[in-house]
Amino acid sequence: MNATDRNSQNLVFPSLSGRVAIVTGAGQGIGRVFAKAFAKSGAIPVIAERNMKNAESVAQEIVADGRQAVAIETDVADPTSIQRMVAAVDARFGRIDVLVNNAGLFSTLEMRSFDQIPLEEWERVLRVNVTGPFLCACAVLPAMKRAKWGRIVNIASAAVPLGRPNYLHYIASKSALQGMTYSMARELGPDGIAVNSLLPGATFTEIERKTVTPQQKERIIGMQCIPRAETPEDLVGTVLFLSSDATGFLTGQSIVVDGGATHR
Ligand SMILES: NC(=O)c1ccc[n+]([C@@H]2O[C@H](COP(=O)([O-])OP(=O)(O)OC[C@H]3O[C@@H](n4cnc5c(N)ncnc54)[C@H](O)[C@@H]3O)[C@@H](O)[C@H]2O)c1
């Protein structure tokens, strides 16, 4: 067992047992690891994903491990699709405790100077990365307000405070998501719903991507206090913490998990 696995297995939080946690975009990468971590901690992850083949495969992995999971085809850019998913979850479990707004247009993006970004790509990124979390949050509110308990975790990015160049639509979208976190937290505090952002650093998953070249990867690692590549498992402790009873009085915050590359 390596140090990362050991760390994520020894985490102790107030129990998430029986909680229903919707994780959007959990068919691969960071979301996939989140779904597995929720299941391991006793929660029931809902894999709300556009790519149904991947979603089913994550759910099967979890079920094969003796735990519960549900895969529901969802396009976070489409309000009807979100409403259908949320209605199905509420009908089946009668509760929605956690929403992790993780789905995003990210690994498929090409790096380009901002004046070369086609308008339709700009609009698509904002639609999925900003409008998607807004629509998902709207859709889960009735269930969370009914329970007077809820946790919304918005997956933004530590690339925002760095102002990483050459994907301006992405940076703009994650910056908007952070702003939304602050306002949503204020509106929802009286209902017992905490809203926070998690800002991952450059996190290396099973998916190859064009946004970080090998040279950039080395440079990023060189900036970190902990000089090794970040993995999705490094984010697990924070996402579970932000989804738990431990954060009843912690809301409207941004937590950067980037191995100490930046300081806020
Ligand atoms: N990996 C990193 O370095 C990093 C760093 C900071 C933030 N993030 C953020 O973390 C999240 C996950 O990152 P990742 O590396 O796993 O990304 P990824 O691109 O590998 O996975 C994104 C997932 O979202 C799904 N998705 C895309 N559009 C969707 C839609 N309209 N409806 C439903 N699902 C949709 C995809 O099918 C995919 O499963 C993203 O929001 C990303 O911006 C990632």
Side-chain angles (χ1 to χ4, degrees), residues 1 142 162 178 239:
M1 189 187 294
L162 274 180
Q178 243 188 297
V239 80

Side-chain angles (χ1 to χ4, degrees), residues 111-178:
M111 303 297 276
R112 304 187 171 98
S113 55
F114 71 82
D115 57 330
Q116 299 302 312
I117 296 174
L119 179 59
E120 69 192 35
E121 186 179 309
W122 172 274
E123 288 180 335
R124 180 78 194 146
V125 169
L126 292 180
R127 176 82 185 181
V128 174
N129 294 11
V130 180
T131 309
F134 157 68
L135 293 171
C136 289
C138 291
V140 299
L141 277 194
M144 289 186 179
K145 284 189 171 175
R146 201 171 63 219
K148 286 263 165 212
W149 198 99
R151 298 288 181 264
I152 298 177
V153 185
N154 292 322
I155 308 303
S157 173
V160 170
L162 274 180
R164 269 198 74 199
N166 294 327
Y167 52 164
L168 193 70
H169 42 9
Y170 179 78
I171 297 293
S173 73
K174 293 299 181 178
S175 188
L177 190 53
Q178 243 188 297

Side-chain angles (χ1 to χ4, degrees), residues 42-109:
I44 303 161
V46 175
I47 300 148
E49 164 67 60
R50 202 179 42 176
N51 181 327
M52 204 44 194
K53 188 164 162 265
N54 283 355
E56 297 273 21
S57 140
V58 175
Q60 276 161 18
E61 270 185 84
I62 292 170
V63 170
D65 202 28
R67 302 170 204 276
Q68 254 187 291
V70 184
I72 304 181
E73 187 167 1
T74 312
D75 179 355
V76 301
D78 174 7
T80 308
S81 168
I82 295 167
Q83 286 297 346
R84 206 180 303 123
M85 177 272 290
V86 165
V89 176
D90 207 9
R92 176 150 174 193
F93 299 108
R95 62 192 295 171
I96 298 172
D97 303 286
V98 178
L99 167 66
V100 182
N101 277 317
N102 167 79
L105 287 181
F106 172 66
S107 62
T108 51
L109 293 178

